[in-house]
Amino acid sequence: MKKFLLSLAVTALVLASFAGCTAKPKGPVKVGIAIYKFDDTFMTNYRTEMEAYLKSKETADTKYEITITDGKNDQATQSEQIDNFISQNYDVLIINLVDLTAAGAIIAKVKAAKIPTVFINRQPTTDDMKLWDKITYVGAKAEDSGTYQGEIAKDLWDAGKLDTNKDGKLQYVMLMGQAIHQDAALRTEYSIKKLTDAGIVVEKLFEERANWNRDEGQTQMASAIAQFGAKIEVVFGNNDDMALGAIQALKAANMVVPVIGVDATAPALDAIGLGDLAGTVLNDSEGQAQTSVDKALALLAGEVLVKEYWVPYVKVTPANYKDFQ
Ligand code: BGC
Ligand code: CA
């Protein structure tokens, strides 16, 4: 009898392990990626890399079915897209929110549906991030990008290249990104802070939002030129697209003024090569894309993650821009 029971147990064990190996045909892992809007240079590089990187991680057993949605800069549209991901049982989400104030409601939904989620580029509040342990944030410290912009301006100032009217003050124009984005406020603050900390007296001539957008950057810069003309000694753009828009407006007015951006997009690096852009800061879309995918897969594998991951910025000037092209 004992022997019989034993052989029965062995058979059951063998059958169970056999079932474990074969009876579970795994479909592709469904990855939903919600982007705040497709018409954004930096986020376009970012999403292209996320997709390529996920594809590069495919194996014979693991395939990724990737869906990327365009939030069209409208939170209601994006929330609907996220609802669809949830109702279609996506395995993991990566979300570039349109509006940070929507984070709490979205976290409540993914938590209820048990879908681990990585937030990117726009950081939910610390309180929102505490709402669930299967969410994390991947970004870059905007303070640093501002500080690097300030360093680039300080070097130009120290080299005697900025104080055109020789009044001992730096007259500047600031083109800001969208109000909802932490990067806009922090870059605006830290670029100037670097200068004032170094004892440089600054005078803000013009500070307006151009919402990360090249055309709006050009329009705002044209208006700054109309008001202040030759008084303008340096221009900061919270990103390269706005900086490139500013350069177009300066060219149209036959003016040459140092312009400093952030992102190090391909056209911005070209503009440094042409002598049009004084400098920028690498906002590492590739590194951030890979980190967010890695963290999404880690959450999916049940790993316990911390609440934020930071990818470093790098200062880019005419001296080193070729390294990034
Ligand atoms: C980038 C901008 C971009 C924005 C989108 C920022 O980090 O510097 O170029 O438009 O993110 O949210
Ligand atoms: Ca001056």
Side-chain angles (χ1 to χ4, degrees):
M1 185 64 176
K2 241 189 187 171
K3 219 174 175 189
F4 173 69
L5 275 180
L6 194 73
S7 81
L8 205 70
V10 168
T11 315
L13 215 79
V14 167
L15 276 176
S17 67
F18 188 69
C21 296
T22 59
K24 221 176 20 165
K26 259 206 291 171
V29 176
K30 285 162 82 176
V31 183
I33 301 178
I35 300 296
Y36 95 98
K37 69 169 183 176
F38 277 5
D39 181 20
D40 178 291
T41 310
F42 173 78
M43 288 312 308
T44 297
N45 295 337
Y46 201 132
R47 73 183 145 95
T48 307
E49 177 61 22
M50 283 193 286
E51 190 166 20
Y53 185 67
L54 262 168
K55 283 282 165 200
S56 79
K57 298 218 134 217
E58 287 194 334
T59 63
D61 306 332
T62 313
K63 303 286 176 209
Y64 297 107
E65 185 185 313
I66 308 157
T67 306
I68 309 184
T69 56
D70 179 0
K72 302 209 160 77
N73 201 29
D74 179 61
Q75 189 56 57
T77 300
Q78 185 182 64
S79 294
E80 225 171 82
Q81 294 164 342
I82 293 168
D83 288 345
N84 284 337
F85 284 146
I86 293 172
S87 65
Q88 291 166 35
N89 296 315
Y90 272 66
D91 295 295
V92 64
L93 302 184
I94 298 176
I95 300 178
N96 170 215
L97 286 168
V98 175
D99 182 347
L100 283 170
T101 61
I106 288 170
I107 293 166
K109 286 184 189 177
V110 294
K111 181 179 178 184
K114 297 197 177 62
I115 305 175
T117 297
V118 177
F119 289 93
I120 57 168
N121 178 257
R122 293 163 179 228
Q123 188 177 19
T125 63
T126 314
D127 282 346
D128 284 340
M129 292 305 289
K130 279 185 195 146
L131 294 171
W132 194 30
D133 57 359
K134 289 187 168 24
I135 54 174
T136 190
Y137 173 72
V138 173
K141 291 243 184 225
E143 298 88 329
D144 294 347
S145 55
T147 302
Y148 285 142
Q149 286 188 294
E151 280 180 18
I152 294 169
K154 184 188 173 301
D155 287 347
L156 292 169
W157 175 269
D158 290 345
K161 289 185 182 152
L162 292 190
D163 193 11
T164 24
N165 70 351
K166 306 258 178 286
D167 69 346
K169 291 183 200 160
L170 179 58
Q171 278 79 16
Y172 74 90
V173 166
M174 182 70 69
L175 299 177
M176 299 186 295
Q178 290 178 305
I180 196 68
H181 203 308
Q182 78 280 341
D183 289 357
L186 291 167
R187 289 173 189 163
T188 299
E189 181 186 347
Y190 279 78
S191 52
I192 299 307
K193 185 175 184 306
K194 179 74 209 178
L195 294 167
T196 52
D197 283 356
I200 297 169
V201 181
V202 299
E203 186 185 344
K204 172 166 55 189
L205 296 179
F206 185 96
E207 183 177 272
E208 290 294 339
R209 290 198 188 281
N211 302 313
W212 307 122
N213 180 273
R214 186 168 180 154
D215 290 344
E216 289 183 54
Q218 183 172 5
T219 305
Q220 290 294 0
M221 191 64 214
S223 135
I225 292 168
Q227 289 173 60
F228 300 101
K231 282 193 188 147
I232 303 166
E233 295 177 335
V234 69
V235 179
F236 293 97
N238 285 169
N239 79 346
D240 282 342
D241 271 0
M242 295 187 292
L244 293 169
I247 290 169
Q248 280 172 271
L250 287 164
K251 286 197 166 172
N254 276 316
M255 286 173 66
V256 179
V257 173
V259 179
I260 303 166
V262 176
D263 283 340
T265 60
L269 294 170
D270 292 345
I272 294 181
L274 292 168
D276 288 338
L277 186 68
T280 185
V281 180
L282 173 70
N283 188 8
D284 186 359
S285 53
E286 208 175 284
Q288 290 174 59
Q290 295 181 1
T291 305
S292 43
V293 164
D294 286 340
K295 297 310 165 195
L297 298 183
L299 284 175
L300 199 56
E303 280 177 43
V304 177
L305 300 188
V306 298
K307 288 295 176 191
E308 13 177 74
Y309 292 90
W310 300 110
V311 176
Y313 283 106
V314 186
K315 184 163 60 172
V316 184
T317 67
N320 68 345
Y321 78 97
K322 285 199 173 128
D323 300 348
F324 304 91
Q325 271 180 324

